[in-house]
Amino acid sequence: MSAVSDRLPTFPWDKLAPYKKTAAAHPDGIVDLSVGTPVDPVPELIQKALIAAADSPGYPTVWGTPELRDAITGWVERRLGAREVTHHHVLPIVGSKELVAWLPTQLGLGPGDRVAYPRLAYPTYEVGARLARAEYEVYDDPTALDPTNLKLLWLNSPSNPTGKVLSKAELTRIVAWAREHGVLLFSDECYLELGWEADPVSVLHPDVNGGSYEGIVAVHSLSKRSNLAGYRAAFLAGDPEVLGPLLEIRKHGGMMTSAPTQAAVIAALSDDEHVRIQRDRYAARRESLRTALLTHGFRIEHSEASLYLWATRDESCWDTLAHLATLGILVAPGDFYGEAGKNFVRVALTATDERVQAAVERLA
């Protein structure tokens, strides 16, 4: 076991313990804006679907029920503008983090193979490469990478942590480059439905991929848009030549979404109203926190989408973290996401209205 764990970096969130202790000592309690975990109720129609499927004594299938695949293909076409999506173009997964962490291993990557991801990025992209013993590197523009032995290219738009959105033109250019060089492209689009000052586009859109899914796969999650982080509900959509072998591997590995969760996902993807309601909640919290941070002397960069504000006081992120902790506010240090974030903090919108208002008052 130590041979595997020794490949991994120190779990970053453990470093927050002393700052969390300081913030929790505030007379009015902590306002935790560090982890982007949903706090609002699971929509009732989803809960009802889960309960109705509670009597599920048999094993679920890794590929999911035909009804689940219908729901995914329908949503991908309706929401992302994809065309001619069949069941072979989709694959349910057990939450997106599991996929990110184990994808390089499931693709058969190893020493000498390269994985690339954005300079500021979700740490699990690196973890996935480390678990497979593959090489890893960061980029500002992926088309500037040396394609030699580059076997997996991660995109992330909208970005975690910055909220940056890649334009349709940028995505089109990157997809063309990846295909030209035979590089498999996975696009993490888990925050696509949370665009504020930009309208995020999927790599599955025909204007981006020319009507072909060759060499591209999109990753989507229901954790944020439907408050289903506790359900571990996500899916892949894209090239059947990639998803088919992944399905076989995942069958052998028993990586199956529970039957009640599959039923819940069907309900979630079949209803757009609960997503609109949740978006409105986040939009209001975003505006309140953004205004309060700017008034307090912060500068906010990007943040045109996603569940975070990427903020700086032009000082070490740990100094900012300590300052906010004295106000009872906990945020995430930017260097968790790469050295380029060392002067930034990530402020999550995932707190109740009451806690957000408490943060606003303290920042004032």
Side-chain angles (χ1 to χ4, degrees):
M1 283 302 297
S2 63
V4 177
S5 61
D6 287 348
R7 298 179 210 161
L8 303 179
T10 302
F11 190 63
W13 295 98
D14 293 343
K15 301 176 184 178
L16 287 189
Y19 302 91
K20 186 172 185 177
K21 182 177 180 180
T22 298
H26 190 279
D28 186 38
I30 189 173
V31 178
D32 192 343
L33 306 177
S34 62
V35 182
T37 185
V39 297
D40 299 303
V42 173
E44 186 176 358
L45 83 160
I46 300 175
Q47 292 191 48
K48 286 182 176 179
L50 184 85
I51 293 168
D55 186 14
S56 298
Y59 289 113
T61 64
V62 173
W63 201 15
T65 63
E67 293 78 13
L68 174 60
R69 283 176 261 143
D70 282 342
I72 295 173
T73 57
W75 183 85
V76 166
E77 292 187 342
R78 183 179 80 251
R79 180 63 184 86
L80 305 184
R83 297 174 185 166
E84 299 179 1
V85 181
T86 72
H87 286 193
H88 294 282
H89 290 90
V90 300
L91 177 62
I93 54 177
V94 192
S96 58
K97 184 169 185 176
E98 167 263 304
L99 183 279
V100 174
W102 292 107
L103 178 64
T105 299
Q106 292 175 10
L107 291 173
L109 305 191
D113 296 324
R114 295 164 54 227
V115 176
Y117 49 87
R119 187 170 301 279
L120 284 166
Y122 185 46
T124 311
Y125 302 131
E126 177 186 331
V127 168
R130 284 177 176 251
L131 286 170
R133 294 182 176 151
E135 298 175 13
Y136 52 90
E137 59 191 285
V138 299
Y139 64 78
D140 294 308
D141 176 357
T143 66
L145 292 166
D146 178 355
T148 306
N149 293 327
L150 180 59
K151 298 298 177 65
L152 175 60
L153 173 63
W154 279 106
L155 299 185
N156 181 207
S157 176
S159 163
N160 173 16
T162 69
K164 180 180 179 180
V165 173
L166 295 174
S167 69
K168 184 182 290 185
E170 289 175 299
L171 289 172
T172 302
R173 177 176 61 85
I174 295 167
V175 167
W177 179 88
R179 284 175 170 166
E180 178 186 353
H181 296 286
V183 177
L184 177 60
L185 186 156
F186 265 67
S187 180
D188 182 345
E189 302 175 353
C190 290
Y191 295 93
L192 185 137
E193 296 211 89
L194 296 169
W196 313 116
E197 297 161 5
D199 187 12
V201 179
S202 172
V203 295
L204 301 180
H205 195 286
D207 289 352
V208 172
N209 60 42
S212 167
Y213 302 114
E214 180 186 357
I216 58 173
V217 177
V219 183
H220 282 270
S221 168
L222 285 81
S223 292
K224 308 301 170 40
R225 51 96 71 188
S226 297
N227 296 334
L228 295 190
Y231 285 44
R232 310 316 300 137
F235 61 88
L236 305 178
D239 190 345
E241 297 300 317
V242 177
L243 299 187
L246 283 179
L247 172 59
E248 292 305 311
I249 292 166
R250 295 170 68 83
K251 283 181 181 178
H252 284 289
M255 293 179 168
M256 58 189 79
T257 306
S258 75
T261 295
Q262 292 187 30
V265 171
I266 294 169
L269 292 179
S270 302
D271 176 75
D272 294 329
E273 179 62 14
H274 78 276
V275 181
R276 184 195 65 77
I277 292 170
Q278 189 60 45
R279 273 181 53 87
D280 288 348
R281 289 188 184 118
Y282 284 136
R285 292 166 186 166
R286 178 181 182 273
E287 183 57 32
S288 296
L289 285 170
R290 184 177 182 277
T291 300
L293 289 166
L294 291 172
T295 301
H296 196 74
F298 280 87
R299 185 176 77 256
I300 295 174
E301 292 191 2
H302 300 301
S303 307
E304 58 261 34
S306 84
L307 277 183
Y308 312 104
L309 293 168
W310 189 237
T312 181
R313 299 204 310 171
D314 295 309
E315 63 183 6
S316 164
C317 60
W318 293 97
D319 290 341
T320 304
L321 194 70
H323 166 70
L324 290 174
T326 65
L327 301 178
I329 301 170
L330 188 67
V331 296
D335 66 4
F336 276 13
Y337 309 94
E339 178 65 20
K342 64 182 180 180
N343 290 334
F344 285 80
V345 294
R346 192 194 74 170
V347 183
L349 308 179
T350 50
T352 64
D353 292 342
E354 183 273 330
R355 287 290 84 188
V356 167
Q357 183 58 35
V360 168
E361 291 172 0
R362 295 174 195 182
L363 290 167

